[in-house]
Amino acid sequence: MGNNPQQNYQEDLLSAIKNQYEEVRQEPRGLVLVEKETQNSVILKEYTFCSQMLFEAKVKELKGQIDKGLQEYVISPVKIESKIFSSFCSTSYKIYALFEYPQVSLREEIMARQKENKSFEEAELWSILQSCTNALCELKPLLSLNPN
């Protein structure tokens, strides 16, 4: 009924993001966007929480990843926007995160380097290892949902 401030803010936030980026396609990981000026690709991922504690922990985690950059995360967030929505009897929390979108897979990168006879530097290998470990940690909760 009427004008919902929560819906208006979500539309404003998405409009601001989409003014700078052009929508390419929807994937299971999120919405793939291309920055209009640089043509860099990103993924827009949306997180919604009912718990303030979980919301604050995720914001802190994402901000930490932005601060660390590529030293620890191969695919790191480049920007986050967060908002708390309050209504008569409930509060919800929303985060929009823009993540780097790799143009090639790790397999493609390894094959390209083999053709050029170019090896990875130690820092790159550590970054790949850390990213694989982070990915496994993200997947672990899904294992409990479907143990087969």
Side-chain angles (χ1 to χ4, degrees):
M1 257 195 212
N3 196 3
N4 183 345
Q6 177 176 346
Q7 185 65 31
N8 287 342
Y9 181 80
Q10 288 174 318
E11 289 171 4
D12 291 345
L13 184 57
L14 287 174
S15 297
I17 289 170
K18 289 184 179 178
N19 283 338
Q20 188 178 357
Y21 295 91
E22 193 173 304
E23 188 172 326
V24 177
R25 69 183 168 280
Q26 181 69 43
E27 289 189 355
R29 295 181 281 182
L31 182 63
V32 178
L33 305 170
V34 174
E35 191 171 15
K36 292 178 181 175
E37 287 183 21
T38 64
Q39 296 300 305
N40 291 336
S41 296
V42 294
I43 291 182
L44 175 64
K45 191 166 181 181
E46 181 180 321
Y47 301 90
T48 304
F49 300 92
C50 293
S51 162
Q52 183 176 0
M53 185 177 72
L54 294 175
F55 167 76
E56 289 173 351
K58 189 64 173 181
V59 168
K60 183 177 179 182
E61 174 190 338
L62 291 170
K63 285 183 177 179
Q65 289 178 11
I66 289 172
D67 292 342
K68 290 178 183 175
L70 290 177
Q71 290 81 27
E72 191 171 334
Y73 299 92
V74 170
I75 301 175
S76 60
V78 291
K79 182 178 181 181
I80 64 168
E81 295 284 342
S82 61
K83 180 69 178 172
I84 300 170
F85 301 105
S86 295
S87 63
F88 173 69
C89 60
S90 69
T91 301
S92 63
Y93 308 87
K94 188 168 290 281
I95 302 170
Y96 288 103
L98 291 173
F99 288 86
E100 294 174 334
Y101 185 74
Q103 298 298 321
V104 296
S105 69
L106 179 58
R107 183 172 193 250
E108 292 168 335
E109 178 67 23
I110 291 169
M111 290 172 65
R113 286 182 184 230
Q114 283 177 338
K115 285 180 185 175
E116 296 173 5
N117 201 20
K118 184 179 174 186
S119 60
F120 287 93
E121 294 181 20
E122 183 180 359
E124 292 173 308
L125 292 172
W126 281 111
S127 178
I128 291 167
L129 178 63
Q130 182 65 50
S131 294
C132 291
T133 303
N134 291 341
L136 291 172
C137 290
E138 290 288 326
L139 292 173
K140 187 176 180 183
L142 299 176
L143 181 62
S144 65
L145 297 175
N146 186 9
N148 294 328

